[in-house]
Amino acid sequence: MVNAPGVVRLALAGVVVLVWVGGPVAVVGALSREAGGVRLAGDEPAWATVRPLSGQVEQRLGLALSWTAGPVVVAPAWDGIVEVLHVGAGDVLRSGDQVAVVAGVTRIGFAGERPFSRHLRRGDRGPDVGVLHALLEQRGLSRGPGDRFDRKTAAGVRALATELGAPQTEVLDPAWFVHLTAPELVVTTVDLVVGAPAPAPGSQVLRSAANLVAARVTSEDWVARAVVTGQAAVPDDGDASMLPEGVDLGTDARTVPAEAELRVRGSAMELTEDRRRVDDASLLVLAAAIEPGAAGVDAVAVSEPVVGSWAVPSAAVHVDPEGRPSVRVQRTGAQIEVDVEIIGSGGVSTTVVVGGLASSDLVQVPGGSAAER
């Protein structure tokens, strides 16, 4: 009589042996068939198709940034208690904006040529009266001509006092103003405390963000190295003597092609005539798009495709000892070397070139590189 459980155990063992032996055979067979149609990584050089470029050409670049430490805004001769704050960290403070209420009077920031240092009244003359006239004009108030405080100036000061909540007067009080060193500041810290006595004259009341003063075109590799090494972009002591040429770019200096537009995070940058740095007119736009104090930022030069430009695998392009780029081409059964000019990038692992290529050409890609057959 046959032992049924024993037969079952024997059959299962046979299945296991078949799977253990037959599985690898099937896998090896599948890999062999795959290898017959596609070259595997590490195989001999492969051949990839080329394609005419119809989209925009991008050249990956970077900007080396130079900053000065943000200016400190100090208190005038105030008396009384800080009652209200009108500015906080992260705010943009512009000339004419309210800063705080101290002793019942609103204090405003003003970026005049010089701070007010005396009380001004009818009959006074001097450059500070000219600054007062500029302030009154900015606020749409009455003012006199030149640098003489006359009855029109007095009427403007009287209206200003009303606006600020000061007692009715025709005498300008310099304590109404906080002197700003620029028409626009990004506030990083505020040292005024509501309910506390007003700070002593000359004490810091707020600090602004670092100022971007130069952005030079460089390679994306330079930017990557600057991030890794923690390249200092703002001198600790605020000394501007190192700026804007504080960092020697050496061979990493770049020039944006004449037909290209330089973009940083989607914003177009105006360039200087030599196309090697961002024009001052675009520095505020650039500063708003990046972290204050950053040593560098990635950029891209975008241009329309050049007639006769081709997209090829980046690995297919090689450069001889004299710096001349070329690609090895398979054409009508023969292999030839074709000189090309690199004009940009067409995407990840794709280089845009111009040269004597044809749509039927195949370019050689070193073994281990991804390519189409």
Side-chain angles (χ1 to χ4, degrees):
M1 183 176 178
V2 179
N3 187 332
V7 172
V8 172
R9 285 194 297 271
L10 183 59
L12 288 175
V15 171
V16 171
V17 170
L18 287 173
V19 171
W20 182 73
V21 174
V25 172
V27 172
V28 170
L31 288 177
S32 298
R33 289 192 299 273
E34 187 71 15
V38 179
R39 286 189 171 88
L40 302 177
D43 208 3
E44 61 186 58
W47 296 91
T49 57
V50 300
R51 57 183 174 83
L53 194 70
S54 57
Q56 292 180 320
V57 178
E58 295 184 354
Q59 180 182 0
R60 301 293 174 180
L61 297 170
L63 291 174
L65 308 175
S66 298
W67 306 75
T68 54
V72 172
V73 177
V74 300
W78 281 338
D79 288 317
I81 301 297
V82 178
E83 300 172 7
V84 179
L85 286 180
H86 289 296
V87 65
D91 290 346
V92 176
L93 179 62
R94 298 179 176 84
S95 183
D97 287 352
Q98 298 178 358
V99 175
V101 176
V102 178
V105 178
T106 298
R107 317 297 170 140
I108 60 176
F110 181 63
E113 293 180 5
R114 61 180 66 196
F116 295 112
S117 59
R118 59 173 178 155
H119 288 75
L120 295 175
R121 51 180 50 86
R122 219 185 269 207
D124 285 338
R125 290 178 178 272
D128 50 357
V129 176
V131 173
L132 171 58
H133 286 158
L135 181 149
L136 295 174
E137 180 180 18
Q138 181 188 84
R139 302 184 74 87
L141 301 176
S142 173
R143 70 190 190 283
D147 60 358
R148 181 176 181 276
F149 194 125
D150 62 9
R151 62 180 182 81
K152 290 184 178 180
T153 309
V157 170
R158 185 168 60 250
L160 178 62
T162 300
E163 284 186 6
L164 302 181
Q168 278 295 299
T169 180
E170 294 183 352
V171 177
L172 181 85
D173 185 347
W176 293 346
F177 310 102
V178 177
H179 180 65
L180 307 180
T181 57
E184 183 176 293
L185 303 174
V186 178
V187 178
T188 55
T189 59
V190 178
D191 296 293
L192 293 173
V193 178
V194 173
S203 300
Q204 176 176 310
V205 295
L206 61 86
R207 177 180 285 277
S208 65
N211 294 321
L212 181 62
V213 294
R216 291 173 293 154
V217 183
T218 183
S219 67
E220 63 175 341
D221 289 341
W222 185 93
V223 173
R225 292 197 303 271
V227 171
V228 171
T229 59
Q231 170 69 55
V234 183
D236 291 337
D237 58 1
D239 180 9
S241 62
M242 64 165 282
L243 304 168
E245 302 294 349
V247 179
D248 183 11
L249 296 179
T251 57
D252 283 300
R254 296 287 185 271
T255 301
V256 178
E259 72 283 356
E261 178 181 75
L262 188 70
R263 299 177 187 172
V264 176
R265 297 178 181 173
S267 297
M269 300 290 117
E270 294 183 36
L271 299 171
T272 54
E273 186 175 353
D274 63 6
R275 303 186 68 79
R276 297 173 67 89
R277 65 175 63 227
V278 174
D279 189 81
D280 290 348
S282 285
L283 290 180
L284 280 178
V285 176
L286 177 59
I290 58 180
E291 180 182 353
V297 64
D298 291 332
V300 59
V302 180
S303 58
E304 295 303 317
V306 177
V307 175
S309 57
W310 300 86
V312 301
S314 298
V317 182
H318 50 271
V319 181
D320 68 15
E322 297 182 4
R324 293 174 300 193
S326 64
V327 293
R328 189 155 190 79
V329 172
Q330 187 177 96
R331 181 182 296 168
T332 61
Q335 295 184 20
I336 59 174
E337 200 73 20
V338 176
D339 292 335
V340 295
E341 178 186 352
I342 299 173
I343 61 173
S345 169
V348 178
S349 302
T350 303
T351 296
V352 179
V353 301
V354 292
L357 296 175
S359 58
S360 59
D361 288 342
L362 297 176
V363 293
Q364 189 181 74
V365 181
S369 300
E372 303 175 19
R373 272 199 85 188

